Structures are given as structure tokens and as C-alpha cells.
Amino acid sequence: MEQCACVERELEKVLHRFVMYGHQSEERLDELLRSVCDIRGQLVAFGVQDADLSVLSQTMAQCCKNIKETVQMLASRHKDIHGSVSKVGKAIDRESGVVIDMNMKQPFLELNRILEALRMQDLRPALEWAVTNRQRLLELNSSLEFKLHRMYFISLLSGGIGNQVEALQYSRHFQPFASQHQRDIQILMGSLVYLRHGIENSPYRSLLETSQWAEICNIFTRDACALLGLSVESPLSVSFASGCMALPVLMNIKQVIEQRQCSGVWTHKDELPIEIDLGKKCWYHSVFACPILRQQTSESNPPMKLICGHVISRDALNKLTNAGKLKCPYCPMEQNPSHAKQIYF
Ligand SMILES: [Zn+2]
């Protein structure tokens, strides 16, 4: 409890600073807006006369100076707040007393090191890692290693004719991927014809698109995480973000249910009363709804495959079982309910 209070104190400090920052910036911005409005008013009132203009231009210069100073001041105070925010993080680390074994940290440190290099367009650490983990990557159906070799080849191409021999030699790395990436390799080799004139002036110029670097970083992160058995996004942040999207919709539906007094609609605690679309990135696995009970199956009520191939939930199977026999509600084959097999999605 003492630890929580300690973290809370740090948190309160940060919140206080945020509020103060909000007030100060609002005040300063209002002040600036007022002086800009004044200048505009003067311009409208006096018309464009030489005498007025010299005075006005001074006022305007002063106003610009004030704006610049305010922006700098706000930026530096914002930076200070960041310091306080990181203090909260440190306080949590210190007070939680969680000690993470270095052996657990090691793979993450290595992945971050490789990713940093990749962001700086240095492919070597990623290539070394991919070659070391070749077998496991292939098992995951990953084409990371080929894509890294491809990028290395492209970086040689962008160096021009001076790299021709090296590029040709490097192309040997494509050999193990020939059957799976034939088309890509043909394009890469075809581009060599234009090396003398520069790839950027050739029909192969799309090979030099810089967006490929962001893409290769994403592929590396995804495949490396899959190899470690981790999800790319933190499960906590995914749950939090999904909650933020779903909550307003659920609040609305709750209000509607209350207004129409049909509270019986939402009785299953594992199931939402309506479908909430969180976008494709939140698709993880298929779901199965029992066609008899019209409920989504769960761990306690899993889908069961009958001998005839039809699938219903276990609760439905139990309900339909009569004197140790089950008549499939679809075909309707008579069978022993104990022969039904649980299926997993
Ligand atoms: Zn059947």
C-alpha cells in the first residue's frame, strides 16, 4: 500500500503540472490572440497610410517576437513535464520490486538492436540473425531472409555501375529461394541491364522506393516476435485500445436497453449484445456460434463435431440427448453422443 501511495504522489505531481501547463498556455495564447486582433483592428481603422504603416510594422514585429518566445517557452515547459512523466515510470519500477532476469531480457535487447540498425538501413545484423534462425523461420513460412537479401541487392544497385560485380556475386544468395521467389529474382536480375544508366531512370525504378525500409522493419518485427512466441503488440495495450473503442458503443446500447426496458437482451456475460468492429488488425481467430442455441461457443461450452460432420455446442448436444441417444438436428442421423469430438479454432 505504501508503494502505491508513493507512485500516486509522483502521479499527482505530474497531473498538477499538466493542469498548470494548460492554464499557462491558454493565458499566453489568449494574450497573443488579443494583440493579433488589435493589429488587425488598427489596420482596418487607419487604412493603409505610410505613417501608420511604420508604427504598425513595429507593433507587428514585436508581436511576432512574442509569438516566437511563447512557442519556445511552451516547448521547453512541455519538455520539463516529460521529465516528471518518466519519474512516474521509474517510481513504478522501483516500488513494484519486479526484478526481470537478464536471460529473459536478452532476446528483446537483441531484437531491438537489430531493429535499430535496420531503421538506419543497416541490413547486416538482421541478415546474420535470419541466417542463424533460417530453419525456424522456414517452419513459420517466413520469407524474411529472402526479403533481406533482396534489400541488400537493391542497396548495391542504388550504388550504380561500380557495384556491378559485387551485385552479381551477391545474387548467389538468391539460389535457395529460386523456386519460391522466382518472379522477384527475375525482376532483380533484369534490373542489372539498366545499372549503367541508373536504376532511377529505368522501368525498375520502383525497386528503389524508400517505403520498403519501413516494410522490412515491420516484417522483421512480426516474424521475430512470432519466433519468440509473442504478439507484436502488447496484449495490455491492445485490450486497452479495444476497450476505448468498444466502450462508447456499449454505453449507447446500455442506454437503449434501459429506455426500452428490454433488459433480458444482454444476459450472457461472455458475449456482447452487438458486434463491434475493431478493424482487421484485431482479428485473431475464428469464432463459432452454435446454430441450435444461437450462442457463441466458449471454453466451458465448446463446439462438438458429430459423427455426421455437423457441429453444435456441447450444451446443445446435452439438451438434445435422449436416453443415451442423439438425433442430429440437421441430417438427422441417430448416433451415440459420446462419439462427438470437441473441435478447436
Ligand atoms: Zn448431422
Side-chain angles (χ1 to χ4, degrees):
M1 206 56 220
E2 175 55 30
Q3 283 94 330
C4 285
C6 199
V7 173
E8 212 170 331
R9 274 197 295 277
E10 290 293 339
L11 204 59
E12 262 165 25
K13 271 189 220 164
V14 175
L15 287 175
H16 179 69
R17 294 188 74 167
F18 263 117
V19 174
M20 292 299 287
Y21 180 75
H23 287 322
Q24 277 172 350
S25 10
E26 222 165 276
E27 257 171 45
R28 291 296 289 260
L29 291 176
D30 280 347
E31 214 173 285
L32 288 175
L33 272 174
R34 269 197 303 276
S35 57
V36 172
C37 284
D38 274 355
I39 293 174
R40 198 177 65 168
Q42 285 176 38
L43 269 172
V44 175
F46 294 118
V48 191
Q49 287 168 20
D50 284 352
D52 297 325
L53 269 183
S54 68
V55 181
L56 259 179
S57 70
Q58 271 179 18
T59 325
M60 276 160 114
Q62 184 58 41
C63 181
C64 289
K65 204 172 150 232
N66 287 348
I67 292 175
K68 215 172 167 183
E69 277 171 10
T70 308
V71 170
Q72 277 169 353
M73 188 271 286
L74 290 179
S76 96
R77 290 207 182 152
H78 194 256
K79 223 172 163 182
D80 288 349
I81 294 184
H82 266 276
S84 316
V85 173
S86 73
K87 263 189 192 168
V88 176
K90 280 178 192 148
I92 293 173
D93 284 347
R94 198 175 49 238
E95 302 302 336
S96 63
V98 177
V99 182
I100 298 171
D101 188 355
M102 201 53 198
N103 287 336
M104 267 180 85
K105 280 188 186 172
Q106 205 51 48
F108 298 98
L109 292 173
E110 195 195 357
L111 292 188
N112 268 318
R113 183 182 57 81
I114 297 171
L115 198 58
E116 275 307 308
L118 212 49
R119 285 193 183 123
M120 308 291 283
Q121 309 200 345
D122 177 5
L123 290 155
R124 283 167 210 270
L127 268 165
E128 275 169 28
W129 183 88
V131 172
T132 314
N133 292 289
R134 180 180 287 163
Q135 198 48 43
R136 290 171 68 201
L137 284 169
L138 286 176
E139 281 163 18
L140 287 171
N141 215 4
S142 155
S143 49
L144 176 68
E145 190 188 337
F146 170 72
K147 286 187 170 152
L148 288 167
H149 285 309
R150 178 181 172 276
M151 285 305 285
Y152 196 88
F153 187 82
I154 291 173
S155 62
L156 287 174
L157 291 181
S158 62
I161 192 73
N163 287 342
Q164 189 176 29
V165 177
E166 201 184 335
L168 267 171
Q169 280 172 348
Y170 196 82
S171 66
R172 287 183 196 149
H173 285 100
F174 297 142
Q175 199 267 327
F177 308 99
S179 57
Q180 220 187 335
H181 298 283
Q182 194 186 8
R183 178 97 186 108
D184 278 325
I185 297 171
Q186 280 170 348
I187 292 172
L188 291 170
M189 299 314 283
S191 69
L192 283 172
V193 177
Y194 290 90
L195 203 54
R196 190 170 293 279
H197 300 288
I199 305 290
E200 62 278 13
N201 306 315
S202 77
Y204 292 92
R205 69 178 73 86
S206 64
L207 287 178
L208 302 178
E209 274 173 14
T210 48
S211 60
Q212 296 183 98
W213 285 101
E215 207 176 303
I216 196 82
C217 287
N218 286 340
I219 295 172
F220 174 79
T221 312
R222 188 196 63 202
D223 291 3
C225 284
L227 206 78
L228 290 172
L230 297 167
S231 55
V232 175
E233 307 275 345
S234 129
L236 180 62
S237 72
V238 171
S239 314
F240 181 74
S242 309
C244 289
M245 280 167 80
L247 207 58
V249 185
L250 293 176
M251 300 284 277
N252 265 343
I253 195 90
K254 185 173 171 257
Q255 212 175 8
V256 172
I257 289 174
E258 277 169 7
Q259 273 170 6
R260 304 209 176 155
Q261 297 179 341
C262 45
S263 53
V265 176
W266 192 2
T267 49
H268 306 289
K269 67 173 173 12
D270 291 339
E271 201 181 325
L272 296 176
I274 42 160
E275 204 169 293
I276 294 168
D277 188 7
L278 298 173
K280 236 180 178 170
K281 69 178 176 46
C282 286
W283 291 7
Y284 293 100
H285 58 82
S286 307
V287 290
F288 178 76
C290 172
I292 305 299
L293 297 179
R294 302 196 179 281
Q295 273 177 16
Q296 202 169 303
T297 49
S298 60
E299 263 177 45
S300 57
N301 178 26
M304 304 293 287
K305 185 169 88 65
L306 308 181
I307 294 193
C308 52
H310 289 116
V311 182
I312 58 176
S313 67
R314 188 152 66 195
D315 282 357
L317 181 132
N318 291 339
K319 274 190 184 149
L320 293 170
T321 300
N322 196 357
K325 280 197 175 150
L326 172 79
K327 204 171 170 187
C328 170
Y330 285 96
C331 43
M333 187 199 272
E334 208 173 64
Q335 53 201 288
N336 184 338
S338 63
H339 291 159
K341 283 205 169 87
Q342 182 173 343
I343 55 173
Y344 298 87
F345 287 101

PDB file of all heavy atoms in Angstrom, residues 308 310 328 330-331, ligand 1:
ATOM      1  N   CYS A 308     -21.810 -37.315 -38.098  1.00  0.00           N
ATOM      2  CA  CYS A 308     -22.246 -36.965 -39.450  1.00  0.00           C
ATOM      3  C   CYS A 308     -21.510 -35.740 -39.993  1.00  0.00           C
ATOM      4  O   CYS A 308     -21.642 -35.396 -41.169  1.00  0.00           O
ATOM      5  CB  CYS A 308     -23.747 -36.701 -39.432  1.00  0.00           C
ATOM      6  SG  CYS A 308     -24.196 -35.526 -38.151  1.00  0.00           S
ATOM      7  N   HIS A 310     -21.812 -32.581 -38.713  1.00  0.00           N
ATOM      8  CA  HIS A 310     -22.438 -31.334 -38.257  1.00  0.00           C
ATOM      9  C   HIS A 310     -21.856 -30.921 -36.901  1.00  0.00           C
ATOM     10  O   HIS A 310     -21.448 -31.776 -36.121  1.00  0.00           O
ATOM     11  CB  HIS A 310     -23.960 -31.515 -38.165  1.00  0.00           C
ATOM     12  CG  HIS A 310     -24.596 -31.618 -39.518  1.00  0.00           C
ATOM     13  ND1 HIS A 310     -25.236 -32.740 -39.956  1.00  0.00           N
ATOM     14  CD2 HIS A 310     -24.638 -30.727 -40.542  1.00  0.00           C
ATOM     15  CE1 HIS A 310     -25.664 -32.549 -41.200  1.00  0.00           C
ATOM     16  NE2 HIS A 310     -25.313 -31.335 -41.580  1.00  0.00           N
ATOM     17  N   CYS A 328     -29.171 -36.114 -34.806  1.00  0.00           N
ATOM     18  CA  CYS A 328     -28.623 -34.840 -35.309  1.00  0.00           C
ATOM     19  C   CYS A 328     -29.771 -33.962 -35.790  1.00  0.00           C
ATOM     20  O   CYS A 328     -30.637 -34.404 -36.531  1.00  0.00           O
ATOM     21  CB  CYS A 328     -27.646 -35.105 -36.455  1.00  0.00           C
ATOM     22  SG  CYS A 328     -27.160 -33.598 -37.300  1.00  0.00           S
ATOM     23  N   TYR A 330     -29.827 -31.812 -37.910  1.00  0.00           N
ATOM     24  CA  TYR A 330     -29.710 -31.397 -39.312  1.00  0.00           C
ATOM     25  C   TYR A 330     -29.933 -32.511 -40.325  1.00  0.00           C
ATOM     26  O   TYR A 330     -30.620 -32.332 -41.317  1.00  0.00           O
ATOM     27  CB  TYR A 330     -28.350 -30.719 -39.547  1.00  0.00           C
ATOM     28  CG  TYR A 330     -28.336 -29.341 -38.963  1.00  0.00           C
ATOM     29  CD1 TYR A 330     -27.820 -29.111 -37.690  1.00  0.00           C
ATOM     30  CD2 TYR A 330     -28.915 -28.276 -39.654  1.00  0.00           C
ATOM     31  CE1 TYR A 330     -27.872 -27.845 -37.127  1.00  0.00           C
ATOM     32  CE2 TYR A 330     -28.973 -27.018 -39.099  1.00  0.00           C
ATOM     33  CZ  TYR A 330     -28.444 -26.798 -37.836  1.00  0.00           C
ATOM     34  OH  TYR A 330     -28.510 -25.561 -37.289  1.00  0.00           O
ATOM     35  N   CYS A 331     -29.279 -33.705 -40.064  1.00  0.00           N
ATOM     36  CA  CYS A 331     -29.349 -34.679 -41.174  1.00  0.00           C
ATOM     37  C   CYS A 331     -30.506 -35.712 -41.161  1.00  0.00           C
ATOM     38  O   CYS A 331     -30.910 -36.083 -42.252  1.00  0.00           O
ATOM     39  CB  CYS A 331     -28.010 -35.367 -41.371  1.00  0.00           C
ATOM     40  SG  CYS A 331     -27.116 -35.889 -39.973  1.00  0.00           S
TER      41      CYS A 331
HETATM   42 ZN    ZN B   1     -25.898 -34.381 -38.927  1.00  0.00          ZN
END
